[in-house]
C-alpha cells in the first residue's frame, strides 16, 4: 500500500511541477529539480527512508531502460542531418566527452577526492539514465552521479547562453552540439529558444554522447583511476 | 451523435492500447540489451545495447518505424519522470552540503562550462569547413 502511494505520489508531484514550470518558465523551476526537492523534503519530514521510498519508486525507475532505448527513434528520424554534418558532429561530441572527463578528473585530483567519487563524476555530462548505468558499471555511486548530472544540466541552462556569447558560438549546429554533449536533456530544453535545428542537433549529440561515453568512461576508469 | 461518441472512444482506446503494446516492444529491446551485457559480463550499460539494436533493426527495416513511434514518443515525452527515483537518492548523501561537497559541485560547474565552450568553438570551426566543402 505504501509502495503504491510512493508511485502515485511521485507521478502526481511531477505532474504538478511540470504544470508550475509551464506557468512560470524559468530554469529554477525545472521539474526534475523541484520534484526532487519536494519529495526529499516530504520523505525526511515523515522520516521515511530512501529504501522504503524505492520499494514503490523502483517501478518508475524500471522504465529508464526502455526510455533510453526510445532515443533510437529521434536518432533514426534525424539521420539525414547527421549524415550531412557527420564529421563535425562526431568529432565535437568526442572532444566534448574528453574535455568533460579530463577537466573533472584534474579538478577532483586537486581537491583530493576519493577514487569512488571520481568514478561517479566521469559520466556527469551524459543523460541521467545512461550516466547512472555507466557509474554503476565502473564502480561509482549511481545516486551521486545523478546529482552531478543535474548540476551539469543546470549549468548549461543557466550559464550556457553566456558561454555562447563569450566564445562567440553563433551557429545553431554548434550551439546544439555543445549544449547537448555537455548538459544533456536539461541543455536541450534550453535549445528550443535557438530554433528547430539547434534543438534537433542537441538531441542527436545527447544521444551520441551517451553511446560514445558508454565506451570511453569505462576505458578511462580502467587506465587512469 | 451517440455513434460518434462511441467511435471516438474506440479510437481513443486503440491509441492507448497501441502505446502500451509499443512500450512492451521497446521494453523487449531493453531486456535483450541487459541480457546481452549480463551473459557476456561486460561493463557496459545494457540500455545502450538495446538502443543500438533498435537503431540497427530500424535501419535495416526489420522493425518498421510505425511499430515503435507512438511508444517511443510517449516515453520520451515523460522521460524526466523516470529519473526522479534516482535523483531522490541524493538524500543518502547529506555530506554534499559540506565545504568539500560544494567544491565538488563547483568543479562540475567549471568542467561543464569548459566543455560547452571548447566543443562549441571546435564544432563551429569544423562546421564552417564542412559546409564550405559541401558548397563547392
Amino acid at each position: 500500500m505504501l509502495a503504491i502511494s510512493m508511485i502515485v505520489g511521485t507521478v502526481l508531484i511531477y505532474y504538478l511541477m511540470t504544470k508550475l514550470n509551464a506557468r512560470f518558465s524559468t530554469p529554477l523551476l525545472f521539474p526534475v529539480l523541484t520534484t526532487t526537492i519536494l519529495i526529499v523534503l516530504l520523505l525526511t519530514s515523515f522520516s521515511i527512508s530512501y529504501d522504503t521510498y524505492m520499494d514503490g519508486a523502483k517501478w518508475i525507475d524500471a522504465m529508464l531502460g526502455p526510455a533510453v532505448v526510445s532515443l533510437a527513434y529521434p536518432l533514426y528520424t534525424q539521420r539525414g542531418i547527421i549524415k550531412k554534418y557527420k564529421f563535425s558532429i562526431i568529432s565535437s561530441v568526442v572532444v566534448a566527452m574528453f574535455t568533460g572527463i579530463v577537466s573533472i578528473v584534474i579538478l577532483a585530483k586537486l581537491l583530493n577526492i576519493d577514487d569512488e567519487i571520481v568514478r561517479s563524476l566521469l559520466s556527469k555530462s551524459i543523460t541521467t539514465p545512461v550516466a547512472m548505468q555507466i557509474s554503476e558499471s565502473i564502480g561509482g555511486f549511481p545516486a551521486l552521479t545523478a546529482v552531478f548530472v543535474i548540476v551539469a544540466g543546470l549549468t548549461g541552462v543557466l550559464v550556457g547562453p553566456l558561454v555562447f556569447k563569450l566564445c562567440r558560438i553563433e551557429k545553431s549546429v554548434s550551439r546544439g552540439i555543445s549544449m547537448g554533449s555537455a548538459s544533456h536533456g536539461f541543455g536541450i530544453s534550453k535549445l528550443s529558444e535557438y530554433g528547430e535545428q539547434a534543438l534537433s542537433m542537441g538531441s542527436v549529440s545527447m544521444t551520441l554522447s551517451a553511446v560514445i561515453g558508454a565506451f570511453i568512461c569505462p576505458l578511462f576508469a580502467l587506465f587512469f583511476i | 451523435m451517440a455513434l460518434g461518441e462511441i467511435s471516438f472512444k474506440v479510437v481513443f482506446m486503440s491509441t492507448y492500447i497501441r502505446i502500451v503494446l509499443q512500450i512492451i516492444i521497446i521494453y523487449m529491446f531493453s531486456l535483450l540489451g541487459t541480457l546481452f551485457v549480463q551473459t557476456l559480463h561486460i561493463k557496459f550499460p545494457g540500455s545502450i545495447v538495446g538502443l543500438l539494436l533498435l537503431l540497427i533493426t530500424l535501419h535495416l527495416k526489420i522493425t518498421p518505424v510505425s511499430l515503435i513511434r507512438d511508444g517511443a514518443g510517449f516515453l520520451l515525452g515523460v522521460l524526466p519522470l523516470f529519473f526522479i527515483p534516482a535523483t531522490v537518492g541524493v538524500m543518502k548523501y547529506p555530506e554534499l552540503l559540506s565545504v568539500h561537497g560544494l567544491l565538488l559541485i563547483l568543479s562540475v560547474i567549471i568542467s561543464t562550462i569548459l566543455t560547452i565552450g571548447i566543443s562549441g568553438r571546435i564544432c563551429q570551426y569544423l562546421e564552417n569547413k564542412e559546409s564550405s566543402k559541401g558548397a563547392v
Side-chain angles (χ1 to χ4, degrees):
Chain A
M1 196 53 221
L2 193 65
I4 292 170
S5 61
M6 294 300 159
I7 300 175
V8 176
T10 305
V11 174
L12 197 70
I13 293 174
Y14 173 73
Y15 176 75
L16 291 174
M17 291 302 124
T18 45
K19 286 276 164 216
L20 188 73
N21 185 51
R23 197 65 195 274
F24 317 89
S25 199
T26 128
L28 289 175
L29 283 177
F30 208 77
V32 175
L33 190 71
T34 46
T35 310
T36 304
I37 293 171
L38 218 76
I39 293 178
V40 169
L41 287 178
L42 280 172
L43 292 177
T44 36
S45 51
F46 287 100
S47 29
I48 300 169
S49 75
Y50 180 63
D51 292 334
T52 313
Y53 171 69
M54 279 308 273
D55 276 344
K58 69 176 179 219
W59 298 106
I60 299 175
D61 196 54
M63 292 309 289
L64 267 184
V68 171
V69 173
S70 305
L71 289 169
Y73 172 65
L75 213 52
Y76 178 73
T77 53
Q78 282 157 25
R79 62 197 183 285
I81 194 164
I82 300 177
K83 235 178 219 159
K84 191 173 166 204
Y85 292 107
K86 58 177 177 295
F87 183 66
S88 318
I89 295 175
I90 295 174
S91 4
S92 310
V93 171
V94 172
V95 166
M97 185 58 61
F98 274 104
T99 314
I101 293 179
V102 172
S103 60
I104 199 64
V105 170
I106 292 174
L107 288 165
K109 292 281 177 198
L110 287 176
L111 290 173
N112 256 330
I113 303 289
D114 296 342
D115 279 356
E116 264 177 320
I117 297 178
V118 179
R119 286 169 194 273
S120 318
L121 279 163
L122 288 187
S123 53
K124 69 162 186 357
S125 61
I126 301 171
T127 182
T128 318
V130 181
M132 291 177 53
Q133 286 197 339
I134 293 176
S135 173
E136 191 167 18
S137 69
I138 61 178
F141 305 113
L144 202 56
T145 302
V147 180
F148 298 138
V149 172
I150 292 177
V151 174
L154 284 175
T155 307
V157 175
L158 298 171
V159 196
L162 189 71
V163 181
F164 286 161
K165 212 179 241 170
L166 288 176
C167 298
R168 269 175 274 125
I169 298 165
E170 284 138 5
K171 295 246 177 179
S172 56
V173 174
S174 310
R175 285 181 166 172
I177 296 289
S178 56
M179 197 75 120
S181 48
S183 302
H184 48 90
F186 286 34
I188 292 175
S189 70
K190 182 76 190 166
L191 286 169
S192 53
E193 293 168 26
Y194 300 116
E196 190 66 37
Q197 200 181 33
L199 190 68
S200 61
M201 291 322 300
S203 61
V204 165
S205 64
M206 175 185 89
T207 314
L208 269 182
S209 81
V211 175
I212 293 172
F215 287 97
I216 295 180
C217 292
L219 284 177
F220 200 91
L222 195 66
F223 290 114
F224 296 102
I225 298 167
Chain B
M1 180 82 167
L3 202 67
E5 238 168 67
I6 292 169
S7 68
F8 171 76
K9 267 185 190 158
V10 169
V11 170
F12 181 75
M13 277 307 284
S14 71
T15 315
Y16 191 71
I17 291 168
R18 189 168 64 232
I19 289 176
V20 172
L21 288 177
Q22 294 196 354
I23 291 176
I24 295 173
I25 295 170
I26 296 168
Y27 196 87
M28 290 299 171
F29 275 94
S30 168
L31 213 62
L32 218 61
T34 313
L35 278 176
F36 180 86
V37 174
Q38 277 173 356
T39 38
L40 292 183
H41 298 286
I42 12 177
K43 289 183 171 183
F44 196 81
S47 55
I48 290 288
V49 176
L51 184 160
L52 293 173
L53 274 176
L54 178 57
L55 194 64
I56 292 167
T57 57
L58 281 172
H59 202 78
L60 298 176
K61 311 254 184 268
I62 300 169
T63 313
V65 188
S66 57
L67 198 66
I68 55 111
R69 190 194 293 128
D70 296 335
F74 176 83
L75 287 177
L76 292 176
V78 290
L79 181 67
L81 169 68
F82 303 134
F83 31 90
I84 303 273
T87 55
V88 171
V90 67
M91 63 190 278
K92 290 201 298 191
Y93 303 98
E95 55 269 40
L96 272 174
L97 290 173
S98 67
V99 177
H100 223 65
L102 293 177
L103 282 173
L104 202 56
I105 286 172
L106 188 68
S107 311
V108 174
I109 295 173
I110 295 171
S111 165
T112 305
I113 292 173
L114 285 174
T115 308
I116 296 176
I118 294 177
S119 69
R121 285 302 307 179
I122 288 183
C123 186
Q124 195 155 277
Y125 171 76
L126 293 172
E127 188 192 337
N128 283 335
K129 263 177 85 173
E130 202 162 23
S131 57
S132 67
K133 192 177 66 190
V136 171

